[in-house]
């Protein structure tokens, strides 16, 4: 494990989607171009003072949601001198959460890590790896020739705990945390938010009526106290996830705000943990036990069978997710896993079956939903992360898109010199186009892969498949012909993790490539048809 710190001086590899200029600009639209800071020798991994930012105001920022996006936003706002209050309906991260149903792998790219550096946060992330995914029996490696192509595999629960602790350490005393508080109502005109919290059940001892001489036995009753808290704010920031209460209240209060539920995944998963690693013939993939923790994600996938996704934990065990299981009958699941993946040790199969078929445990969890909003702002309020743009796990961009949005918001705030009346609209103008572009790419991937639950018509499906397949074929051809200019076979998807490349540019290029390939195919067909007509005329 290592702490994120500025990288040493390196020559940045040029990405095909970037213009060939001497300067590198940020990926965010409608913002002033910014040259990246000059790279120097690595700093110590010890915590240092965060970068100094201009203090715009002493106003109160109210952040609803204490997940990764909420924590990063709290850090960036505290860095700018604001009073920050974070309200989260869950309890603080606990060690016991590490083996919960919310513990699953995520892949962080430079779109996430740039925000950590901006905020001065140093997180214990693993060493960056060149592999994104391992398929059954082989490793698929991705290029890693500069800091923008690096990626980090992290556990969702552990990452949430690390970013919370790093924010606490770096901005101790500058952020007020309120756990166990659920948002109930927002008065957008008066800028007042109302929360409720419930205390732990309390035992109350009763001896009968006051002043009574009765010998009636004492009784114990359990009560729960509900407390209502009202908070005044200067700016409300909704970072409360896909089921955002802030988004719901904004939609009810703001005329013209639309939310389009484009897709809800019908695929579910269950997690399992604590699989012991075995050497030699007991390894599911040769060399498995010698791989570093969080070095690879292992994907065992056979069509029509349950899918197993695994990763190595720091404690030397393996954890994973079981997906696409049509039944959680123990005998049926054991038979399918054993027949589809005979290389998986029997001990593992038994543990996976025992944990996922336990009816007393958590029910299957869905892989999320894709929702598009018409705006990310309201009067003195903004939506960040899944609150503003819920994503599925299809292209593994949900967390990266969320944390990049936090960074864009901070930049938008700076661009208007901290004017809290103008900042929300500035954020929507700077971010919405890119958000919609990424959601469009994900939706096309969903349609082209025939994912269950998609309700698009035949024309939409055909268009999505033509765009994804056409672009993939053309980019692979360019890679074969000019590998120095196009170093990655599917460099468009490779560009999704590069913070210098706007999502909209990826989408535009995909459509351009698909159109070029379709035009070429049409020209060839037309030429072949004309040739056939000519030959037929000659023969007659």
């Amino acid at each position: 494990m290592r702490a994120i710190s500025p990288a040493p001086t390196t020559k940045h590899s040029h990405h095909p989607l970037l213009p060939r200029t001497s300067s590198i600009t940020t990926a965010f639209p409608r913002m002033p171009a910014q040259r990246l800071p000059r790279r120097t020798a690595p700093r110590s991994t010890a915590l240092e003072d965060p970068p100094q930012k201009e203090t715009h105001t002493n106003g109160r920022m109210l952040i609803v949601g204490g997940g990764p996006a909420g924590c990063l936003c709290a850090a960036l706002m505290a860095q700018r001198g604001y009073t920050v209050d974070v309200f989260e309906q869950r309890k603080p991260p606990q060690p016991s959460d590490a083996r919960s149903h919310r513990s699953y792998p995520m892949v962080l790219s430079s779109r996430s890590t740039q925000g950590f550096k901006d905020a001065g946060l140093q997180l214990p992330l693993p060493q960056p790896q060149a592999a994104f995914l391992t398929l059954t029996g082989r490793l698929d490696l991705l290029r890693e020739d500069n800091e923008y192509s690096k990626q980090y595999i992290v556990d969702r629960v552990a990452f949430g705990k690390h970013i919370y602790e790093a924010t606490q350490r770096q901005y101790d005393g500058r952020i007020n945390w309120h756990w166990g508080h659920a948002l109930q109502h927002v008065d957008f005109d008066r800028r007042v938010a109302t929360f409720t919290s419930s205390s732990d059940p309390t035992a109350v001892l009763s001896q009968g009526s006051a002043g009574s001489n009765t010998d009636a036995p004492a009784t114990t009753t359990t009560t729960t106290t509900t407390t209502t808290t009202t908070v005044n704010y200067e700016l409300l920031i909704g970072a409360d996830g896909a089921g955002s209460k802030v988004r719901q209240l904004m939609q009810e209060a703001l005329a013209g705000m639309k939310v389009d539920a484009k897709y809800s995944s019908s695929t579910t998963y269950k997690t399992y943990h604590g699989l012991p690693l075995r050497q030699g013939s007991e390894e599911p993939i040769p060399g498995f036990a010698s791989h570093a923790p969080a070095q690879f994600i292992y994907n065992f996938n056979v069509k029509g069978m349950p899918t197993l996704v695994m990763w190595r934990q720091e404690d030397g065990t393996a954890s994973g997710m079981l997906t696409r299981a049509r039944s959680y009958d123990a005998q049926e699941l054991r038979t399918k896993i054993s027949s589809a993946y005979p290389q998986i040790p029997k001990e593992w199969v038994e543990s996976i079956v025992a944990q996922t078929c336990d009816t007393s445990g958590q029910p299957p969890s869905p892989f999320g939903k894709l929702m598009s909003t018409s705006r990310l702002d309201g009067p003195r309020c903004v939506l960040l992360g899944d609150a503003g743009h819920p994503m599925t796990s299809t292209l593994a961009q949900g967390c990266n898109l969320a944390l990049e949005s936090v960074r864009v918001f901070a930049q938008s705030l700076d661009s208007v010199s901290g004017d809290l009346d103008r900042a929300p609209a500035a954020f929507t103008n700077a971010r919405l186009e890119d958000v919609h572009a990424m959601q469009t790419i994900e939706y096309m991937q969903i349609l082209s892969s025939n994912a269950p639950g998609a309700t698009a018509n035949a024309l939409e499906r055909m268009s999505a498949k033509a765009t994804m397949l056409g672009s993939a074929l053309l980019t692979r051809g360019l890679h074969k012909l000019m590998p120095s200019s196009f170093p990655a076979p599917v460099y468009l998807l490779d560009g999704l993790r590069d913070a210098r490349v706007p999502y909209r540019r990826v989408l535009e290029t995909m459509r351009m490539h698909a159109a070029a390939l379709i035009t070429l195919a049409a020209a060839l067909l037309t030429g072949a048809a004309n040739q056939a007509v000519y030959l037929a005329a000659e023969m007659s």
Side-chain angles (χ1 to χ4, degrees), residues 227-452:
T227 303
T228 300
T229 304
T230 58
V231 182
N232 296 298
Y233 63 84
E234 296 298 322
L235 187 73
L236 174 66
I237 300 171
D240 49 340
S244 173
K245 182 69 173 181
V246 177
R247 184 184 66 237
Q248 174 192 332
L249 295 174
M250 286 176 62
Q251 190 178 5
E252 293 173 356
L254 306 179
M257 181 174 178
K258 298 178 181 179
V259 178
D260 179 19
K262 299 178 71 68
Y263 171 74
S264 181
S265 176
S266 60
T267 303
T268 59
Y269 71 89
K270 279 193 170 186
T271 61
Y272 50 87
H273 306 278
L275 305 183
L277 299 184
R278 302 300 184 196
Q279 297 284 346
S281 60
E282 290 296 315
E283 293 181 309
I285 291 178
F288 187 96
S290 63
H291 296 160
Q295 184 176 8
F296 301 115
I297 293 178
Y298 309 88
N299 185 14
F300 298 86
N301 186 4
V302 172
K303 186 175 182 180
M305 290 292 186
T307 296
L308 297 176
V309 179
M310 300 182 189
W311 67 99
R312 281 201 57 179
Q313 296 279 21
E314 286 294 323
D315 62 3
T317 64
S319 294
M321 296 189 299
L322 169 71
T323 72
R324 303 185 187 280
R326 298 180 179 178
S327 167
Y328 288 98
D329 175 78
Q331 184 57 46
E332 179 182 346
L333 191 58
R334 182 183 297 108
T335 301
K336 287 186 174 182
I337 294 176
S338 298
S339 61
Y341 316 114
Q343 70 271 44
I344 294 182
K346 292 182 179 179
E347 181 182 9
W348 285 22
V349 175
E350 292 301 323
S351 181
I352 292 170
V353 170
Q355 293 183 57
T356 57
C357 295
D358 181 9
T359 57
S360 64
Q362 288 288 336
S365 301
F367 270 111
K369 57 184 66 176
L370 184 64
M371 299 175 66
S372 176
T373 59
S374 60
R375 57 193 292 186
L376 299 171
D377 72 288
R380 290 288 186 101
C381 59
V382 295
L383 296 173
L384 298 180
D386 280 350
H389 39 75
M391 301 278 285
T392 70
S393 61
T394 303
L395 290 175
Q397 287 298 305
C399 186
N400 293 311
L401 183 69
L403 296 180
E404 188 179 63
S405 287
V406 176
R407 185 171 175 236
V408 178
F409 170 66
Q411 292 184 341
S412 301
L413 186 62
D414 293 342
S415 73
V416 296
S417 300
D419 187 330
L420 298 184
D421 289 313
R422 296 165 54 203
F427 171 59
T428 289
N429 291 336
R431 189 57 173 164
L432 192 61
E433 182 182 1
D434 240 23
V435 164
H436 286 172
M438 182 59 240
Q439 291 185 319
T440 299
I441 295 172
E442 178 163 289
Y443 191 52
M444 289 194 301
Q445 178 64 23
I446 289 169
L447 296 181
S448 63
S449 62
N450 296 318

Side-chain angles (χ1 to χ4, degrees), residues 86-121:
V86 180
F87 282 77
E88 166 60 53
Q89 64 179 354
R90 295 189 178 97
K91 295 180 180 180
Q94 303 291 328
S96 58
D97 296 338
R99 293 175 181 258
S100 72
H101 69 288
R102 299 179 65 243
S103 177
Y104 51 82
M106 299 192 306
V107 180
L108 303 183
S109 70
S110 63
R111 296 184 186 274
S112 294
T113 58
Q114 287 296 310
F116 307 152
K117 293 177 181 179
D118 287 356
L121 300 180

Side-chain angles (χ1 to χ4, degrees), residues 13-196:
S13 173
H14 178 79
H15 195 282
L17 292 178
L18 289 171
R20 291 189 176 276
T21 60
S22 58
S23 63
I24 301 174
T25 58
T26 60
F28 312 133
R30 302 179 191 175
M31 298 289 293
Q34 298 180 13
R35 189 182 299 271
L36 291 177
R38 184 181 301 277
R39 299 293 168 187
T40 58
R43 296 185 301 183
S44 166
T45 57
L47 288 175
E48 302 177 10
D49 290 336
Q52 294 300 310
K53 291 290 183 181
E54 177 186 356
T55 300
H56 301 305
T57 179
N58 292 323
R60 168 177 282 185
M61 295 289 191
L62 174 57
I63 301 174
V64 181
C71 287
L72 179 58
C73 185
L76 290 170
M77 295 302 102
Q79 183 187 66
R80 285 159 173 76
Y82 292 101
T83 298
V84 181
D85 285 276
V86 180
F87 282 77
E88 166 60 53
Q89 64 179 354
R90 295 189 178 97
K91 295 180 180 180
Q94 303 291 328
S96 58
D97 296 338
R99 293 175 181 258
S100 72
H101 69 288
R102 299 179 65 243
S103 177
Y104 51 82
M106 299 192 306
V107 180
L108 303 183
S109 70
S110 63
R111 296 184 186 274
S112 294
T113 58
Q114 287 296 310
F116 307 152
K117 293 177 181 179
D118 287 356
L121 300 180
Q122 300 195 23
L123 305 180
L125 298 180
Q127 290 290 336
Q129 302 299 336
F132 174 45
L133 188 69
T134 57
L135 302 178
T136 304
R138 78 176 193 274
L139 301 181
D140 285 344
L141 303 183
L142 294 178
R143 69 186 184 93
E144 182 195 334
D145 53 7
N146 67 80
E147 66 174 295
Y148 292 98
S149 63
K150 292 177 181 178
Q151 56 189 11
Y152 306 84
I153 299 170
V154 299
D155 180 277
R156 165 65 178 85
V157 170
F159 173 64
K161 182 173 181 289
H162 289 326
I163 192 171
Y164 165 60
E165 292 174 346
T167 302
Q168 271 193 314
R169 288 193 302 266
Q170 195 69 278
Y171 299 97
D172 183 32
R174 297 164 66 179
I175 302 172
N176 304 310
W177 303 89
H178 310 269
W179 300 96
H181 287 72
L183 178 66
Q184 300 298 326
H185 178 70
V186 175
D187 186 328
F188 292 98
D189 293 328
R190 296 174 52 233
R191 295 203 290 272
V192 177
T194 303
F195 297 85
T196 58

Side-chain angles (χ1 to χ4, degrees), residues 198-219:
S198 299
S199 65
D200 292 332
T202 303
V204 179
L205 186 67
S206 174
Q207 289 282 4
S209 302
S212 171
N213 293 322
T214 180
D215 293 328
T219 59

